[in-house]
Amino acid sequence: MTTFAPDRFGPLARRITRPVEIGGVQVGGGAPVVVQSMTNTDTADVATTSKQIGELWRAGSELVRVTVNTAEAAAAIPRIVERLAMMGVNVPIIGDFHYNGHTLLSNEPACAEALAKYRINPGNVGFGKKKDTQFAQLIEFAIRYGKPVRIGANWGSLDQALAARLMDENAQRALPWDAGRVMREALILSALESAQRAVELGLPAEKIILSAKVSGVQELVAVYRDLARRSDFALHLGLTEAGIGSKGIVASSAALGVLLQEGIGDTIRISLTPEPGASRTQEVVVAQELLQTMGLRAFTPMVTACPGCGRTTSEFFQELAKVVQEHVRAKMPEWKISHPGAENMTLAVMGCVVNGPGESRHANIGISLPGTGEAPSAPVFVDGEKTVTLRGEHIAQEFVALIDGYVQSHYGAARAD
Ligand code: SF4
């Protein structure tokens, strides 16, 4: 039976899972929920893939997965890991294997060694009699090289033999389940039975993470609730094929938010389809913001901004909110080292006197801009006290300077003094 314990970052109870160590990053066992992402470059292109991994890492991805689909991709892995070390990028790399993973790992021992974790999809390690053999080979590589694995079942590549077996069993029931429930059970069993087989082959349970991804919000919640109830493996959460733009963000946040609130989930990935020309790092930002807005972790100072309404006379306050958000996000990698704790700072940018002073007082630093008919001045509140009133054309620069000054005087070495 699953047990729960208080979360070290907030009041939410977390499901207790087995801890899994991935290249120095702990997933599960009460560790903070880990943010991960995946590249969309050709892995065989060492320069481009390394560059994108660096971007994802700088954005805050704590694990990065790459597809390993060809001999060229497998051969590129040790070169990518070497290049990342030269770039000062310190992030464990996970190899995503389908169909030919056993062959690639066999032919490229340096790839098997360089990866921090292998992802195996039990629905497509092989077909027919080869399935069991090839799955066992992948697990044996993990044992030989001391690597953890994610056994990642996916709705879109469900183990067809298992699905057929469950359909047959269902037909024998006095009250047959509906088809959706049978397919959910097939997905869950695919993950659980594969994990059991891996343990029987000699892979410790502390080297196994499970996932069972679907693309529907309600189905995902149902699948993971069941998976959490039936095992104590660490769980990787993600809504597969979430979609593009706001649809992908909303669907992922809705599904993962429910599960995280129930203490389920040890690492998350937001599977967004990037808008044309958009940065791949958006999925990392969304994952961080989901965890931070839920109070599970802190990554970057949070900016509270009112939505604006007919009382605001210009777009200035929207621009200021954007400038402030972008400034603190850009500064955070530096502050993380020089002024740890700055990620907990709260900021407020408000459009008028109705809620402005009140909301600003609740933030570490808040500014209340003038609304329609109000005097052209912007009072600034620091830790609840009004300290200065900004006027003129340089309000944005002056407010950003106040934020920087607050960080200098309140976090890191300054706090220890
Ligand atoms: S704080 Fe003022 S400008 Fe902002 S939404 Fe409220 S009333 Fe409108």
Side-chain angles (χ1 to χ4, degrees):
M1 190 166 133
T2 303
T3 52
F4 291 82
D7 186 274
R8 55 187 281 204
F9 289 96
L12 295 183
R14 293 275 305 283
R15 170 177 169 263
I16 298 295
T17 55
R18 291 174 184 269
V20 181
E21 193 262 327
I22 304 165
V25 175
Q26 184 180 321
V27 171
V33 180
V34 169
V35 170
Q36 62 174 284
S37 59
M38 185 172 185
T39 58
N40 61 354
T41 56
D42 175 3
T43 306
D45 182 340
V46 173
T48 306
T49 301
S50 303
K51 180 170 175 284
Q52 191 176 75
I53 292 171
E55 290 165 1
L56 292 164
W57 174 72
R58 271 183 285 279
S61 188
E62 294 159 307
L63 301 169
V64 176
R65 181 161 47 115
V66 301
T67 191
V68 187
N69 54 339
T70 61
E72 292 76 20
I77 293 293
R79 292 164 57 208
I80 289 169
V81 170
E82 198 175 312
R83 193 177 179 114
L84 291 172
M86 286 166 57
M87 290 161 62
V89 175
N90 180 23
V91 65
I93 303 301
I94 301 164
D96 198 66
F97 293 98
H98 299 273
Y99 308 110
N100 57 355
H102 59 294
T103 306
L104 297 176
L105 288 172
S106 172
N107 292 343
E108 288 289 347
C111 166
E113 181 60 50
L115 290 170
K117 188 179 81 170
Y118 310 152
R119 182 274 169 113
I120 305 171
N121 181 339
N124 58 23
V125 288
F127 300 102
K129 287 180 187 157
K130 286 185 178 170
K131 177 177 171 288
D132 288 346
T133 314
Q134 291 173 186
F135 179 80
Q137 285 176 316
L138 285 165
I139 296 301
E140 280 157 16
F141 280 115
I143 295 168
R144 186 184 312 165
Y145 289 95
K147 306 294 181 180
V149 301
R150 169 162 66 98
I151 294 175
N154 192 299
W155 194 253
S157 49
L158 193 54
D159 180 339
Q160 292 305 314
L162 176 61
R165 188 187 95 201
L166 292 194
M167 284 295 201
D168 288 346
E169 287 174 12
N170 193 47
Q172 309 303 319
R173 285 194 172 88
L175 290 172
W177 295 351
D178 63 57
R181 185 174 173 191
V182 177
M183 297 313 274
R184 286 200 299 275
E185 180 66 12
L187 192 69
I188 293 163
L189 272 189
S190 176
L192 290 178
E193 289 184 355
S194 299
Q196 185 57 40
R197 174 103 176 97
V199 170
E200 287 165 8
L201 288 164
L203 188 68
E206 287 74 19
K207 293 273 188 196
I208 298 174
I209 293 176
L210 296 187
S211 68
K213 296 189 182 182
V214 300
S215 56
V217 171
Q218 298 295 351
E219 287 82 5
L220 192 88
V221 171
V223 162
Y224 271 90
R225 278 179 177 159
D226 218 3
L227 202 50
R229 190 175 52 77
R230 291 161 67 173
S231 83
D232 63 357
F233 289 110
L235 295 182
H236 164 125
L237 295 190
L239 185 77
T240 191
E241 287 101 36
I244 194 164
S246 60
K247 186 269 171 183
I249 295 171
V250 170
S252 293
S253 302
L256 271 54
V258 169
L259 291 164
L260 290 166
Q261 185 70 16
E262 294 176 7
I264 297 169
D266 301 290
T267 176
I268 64 172
R269 190 232 166 170
I270 306 289
S271 302
L272 288 183
T273 307
E275 305 258 9
S279 170
R280 186 68 166 176
T281 56
Q282 191 192 14
E283 66 176 57
V284 178
V285 174
V286 172
Q288 289 187 331
E289 289 183 343
L290 174 62
L291 294 175
Q292 186 154 0
T293 53
M294 292 188 70
L296 287 165
R297 291 191 65 182
F299 300 95
T300 303
M302 293 291 279
V303 181
T304 299
C306 78
C309 68
R311 296 180 66 92
T312 47
T313 51
S314 72
E315 292 180 349
F316 178 68
F317 95 98
Q318 293 165 267
E319 287 161 11
L320 181 59
K322 187 164 183 278
V323 164
V324 169
Q325 183 72 73
E326 287 176 354
H327 177 75
V328 294
R329 186 165 282 284
K331 292 287 280 188
M332 202 54 230
E334 176 192 327
W335 288 344
K336 201 169 162 184
I337 297 162
S338 62
H339 296 87
E343 65 275 14
N344 296 304
M345 180 171 61
T346 55
L347 304 165
V349 177
M350 301 295 289
C352 84
V353 76
V354 171
N355 291 327
E359 194 68 60
S360 297
R361 279 196 181 91
H362 287 120
N364 291 121
I365 309 184
I367 187 166
S368 178
L369 293 164
T372 310
E374 294 175 21
S377 60
V380 173
F381 299 81
V382 177
D383 291 330
E385 299 293 329
K386 184 176 157 188
T387 56
V388 65
T389 299
L390 303 181
R391 293 185 177 82
E393 294 178 1
H394 303 294
I395 288 179
Q397 295 92 316
E398 290 170 17
F399 186 60
V400 164
L402 287 170
I403 293 169
D404 289 349
Y406 187 92
V407 170
Q408 300 292 333
S409 59
H410 285 74
Y411 300 104
R415 189 174 52 177
D417 288 342

Coordinates of all heavy atoms in Angstrom, one line a residue, residues 35 37 55-56 59 243-246 248-249 270 272-275 278-289 329:
V35 N 12.7 18.4 -13.1 CA 12.3 18.9 -14.4 C 13.1 18.2 -15.4 O 14.4 18.3 -15.4 CB 12.3 20.4 -14.5 CG1 12.1 20.9 -15.9 CG2 11.3 21.0 -13.5
S37 N 13.5 17.4 -19.9 CA 13.1 17.8 -21.3 C 13.7 16.8 -22.3 O 14.5 16.0 -21.9 CB 13.5 19.2 -21.6 OG 14.9 19.3 -21.5
E55 N 21.1 24.8 -24.1 CA 20.0 25.7 -23.9 C 19.0 25.2 -22.9 O 18.5 25.9 -22.1 CB 19.3 26.0 -25.3 CG 20.2 26.8 -26.2 CD 19.7 26.7 -27.7 OE1 18.6 26.1 -27.9 OE2 20.3 27.3 -28.5
L56 N 18.6 23.9 -23.0 CA 17.7 23.3 -22.1 C 18.2 23.3 -20.7 O 17.5 23.6 -19.7 CB 17.3 21.9 -22.6 CG 16.5 21.8 -23.9 CD1 16.6 20.4 -24.5 CD2 15.1 22.3 -23.7
A59 N 18.1 26.7 -19.2 CA 16.7 27.1 -18.9 C 16.2 26.4 -17.6 O 15.2 26.8 -17.0 CB 15.8 26.7 -20.0
G243 N 0.3 18.8 -27.5 CA -0.2 19.7 -28.5 C 0.6 21.0 -28.5 O 1.7 21.1 -27.8
I244 N 0.2 21.9 -29.3 CA 0.9 23.1 -29.6 C 0.3 24.3 -28.8 O -0.9 24.3 -28.5 CB 0.9 23.4 -31.1 CG1 1.9 24.5 -31.5 CG2 -0.5 23.8 -31.6 CD1 2.2 24.5 -33.0
G245 N 1.2 25.3 -28.4 CA 0.7 26.5 -27.8 C -0.1 26.3 -26.5 O 0.2 25.4 -25.7
S246 N -1.1 27.2 -26.3 CA -1.8 27.2 -25.1 C -2.5 25.9 -24.8 O -2.7 25.4 -23.7 CB -2.8 28.4 -25.0 OG -3.7 28.2 -26.1
G248 N -1.5 22.8 -25.4 CA -0.5 21.9 -24.8 C -0.2 22.2 -23.4 O -0.1 21.4 -22.5
I249 N -0.1 23.5 -23.1 CA 0.3 24.0 -21.8 C -0.9 23.7 -20.8 O -0.7 23.2 -19.7 CB 0.6 25.5 -21.8 CG1 1.9 25.7 -22.6 CG2 0.8 26.0 -20.4 CD1 2.2 27.2 -22.9
I270 N 7.0 18.3 -19.9 CA 5.9 18.8 -20.6 C 6.2 18.6 -22.1 O 7.1 19.3 -22.6 CB 5.7 20.4 -20.3 CG1 5.7 20.6 -18.7 CG2 4.5 20.9 -21.0 CD1 4.4 20.1 -18.1
L272 N 5.5 19.6 -25.2 CA 4.9 20.7 -26.1 C 5.4 20.5 -27.5 O 6.6 20.3 -27.7 CB 5.3 22.0 -25.6 CG 4.6 22.6 -24.3 CD1 5.1 24.0 -24.0 CD2 3.1 22.5 -24.4
T273 N 4.5 20.8 -28.4 CA 5.0 20.9 -29.8 C 5.3 22.4 -29.9 O 4.5 23.3 -29.8 CB 3.8 20.6 -30.8 OG1 3.3 19.3 -30.5 CG2 4.3 20.7 -32.2
P274 N 6.6 22.7 -30.2 CA 7.0 24.1 -30.3 C 6.3 24.8 -31.5 O 6.1 24.2 -32.5 CB 8.5 24.1 -30.5 CG 8.9 22.7 -30.3 CD 7.7 21.8 -30.5
E275 N 5.9 26.1 -31.2 CA 5.4 26.9 -32.3 C 6.5 27.1 -33.3 O 7.7 27.1 -32.9 CB 5.0 28.3 -31.8 CG 4.0 28.3 -30.7 CD 2.6 28.6 -31.1 OE1 2.4 28.7 -32.3 OE2 1.8 28.8 -30.2
A278 N 9.8 28.9 -32.4 CA 9.8 29.1 -30.9 C 11.0 28.2 -30.3 O 11.4 27.2 -30.9 CB 8.5 28.7 -30.3
S279 N 11.4 28.6 -29.2 CA 12.5 27.9 -28.5 C 12.0 26.6 -27.9 O 10.9 26.5 -27.4 CB 13.1 28.7 -27.4 OG 14.0 28.0 -26.7
R280 N 12.8 25.6 -28.0 CA 12.5 24.3 -27.3 C 12.5 24.5 -25.8 O 11.9 23.6 -25.1 CB 13.6 23.3 -27.7 CG 13.4 21.9 -27.2 CD 12.2 21.3 -28.0 NE 12.1 19.8 -27.8 CZ 11.1 19.1 -28.3 NH1 10.2 19.6 -29.0 NH2 11.1 17.8 -28.1
T281 N 13.1 25.5 -25.3 CA 13.1 25.7 -23.8 C 11.8 26.0 -23.2 O 11.6 26.0 -22.0 CB 14.1 26.8 -23.5 OG1 13.7 28.0 -24.1 CG2 15.5 26.5 -23.9
Q282 N 10.8 26.3 -24.0 CA 9.5 26.6 -23.5 C 8.9 25.5 -22.6 O 8.3 25.7 -21.5 CB 8.5 26.9 -24.6 CG 7.2 27.6 -24.0 CD 6.0 27.6 -25.0 OE1 6.1 27.0 -26.1 NE2 5.0 28.4 -24.7
E283 N 9.2 24.3 -23.0 CA 8.7 23.2 -22.2 C 9.3 23.1 -20.8 O 8.7 22.7 -19.8 CB 8.9 21.8 -22.9 CG 10.3 21.3 -23.1 CD 10.3 19.9 -23.7 OE1 9.7 19.8 -24.8 OE2 10.9 19.0 -23.1
V284 N 10.6 23.6 -20.7 CA 11.2 23.7 -19.4 C 10.6 24.8 -18.5 O 10.3 24.6 -17.3 CB 12.7 23.9 -19.5 CG1 13.4 24.0 -18.2 CG2 13.4 22.8 -20.4
V285 N 10.4 25.9 -19.1 CA 9.8 27.1 -18.4 C 8.4 26.7 -17.9 O 8.0 27.0 -16.7 CB 9.7 28.3 -19.3 CG1 8.9 29.4 -18.7 CG2 11.1 28.8 -19.8
V286 N 7.6 26.0 -18.7 CA 6.2 25.6 -18.3 C 6.3 24.6 -17.1 O 5.6 24.7 -16.1 CB 5.4 25.0 -19.5 CG1 4.1 24.4 -19.0 CG2 5.2 26.0 -20.5
A287 N 7.2 23.7 -17.2 CA 7.4 22.7 -16.1 C 7.8 23.4 -14.8 O 7.2 23.1 -13.7 CB 8.4 21.6 -16.5
Q288 N 8.7 24.3 -14.9 CA 9.1 25.0 -13.7 C 8.0 25.9 -13.1 O 7.7 25.9 -11.9 CB 10.3 26.0 -14.0 CG 11.6 25.2 -14.3 CD 12.7 26.2 -14.4 OE1 12.6 27.4 -14.8 NE2 13.9 25.8 -14.1
E289 N 7.3 26.6 -14.0 CA 6.2 27.4 -13.5 C 5.0 26.6 -12.9 O 4.4 27.0 -12.0 CB 5.7 28.3 -14.7 CG 6.7 29.4 -15.0 CD 6.3 30.4 -16.1 OE1 5.3 30.1 -16.8 OE2 7.0 31.4 -16.2
R329 N 14.3 36.2 -14.9 CA 14.6 34.9 -15.4 C 16.0 34.9 -16.0 O 16.8 33.9 -15.9 CB 13.6 34.6 -16.5 CG 13.8 33.2 -17.1 CD 12.6 32.7 -17.8 NE 11.5 32.3 -17.0 CZ 11.4 31.1 -16.3 NH1 12.4 30.3 -16.4 NH2 10.4 30.8 -15.6

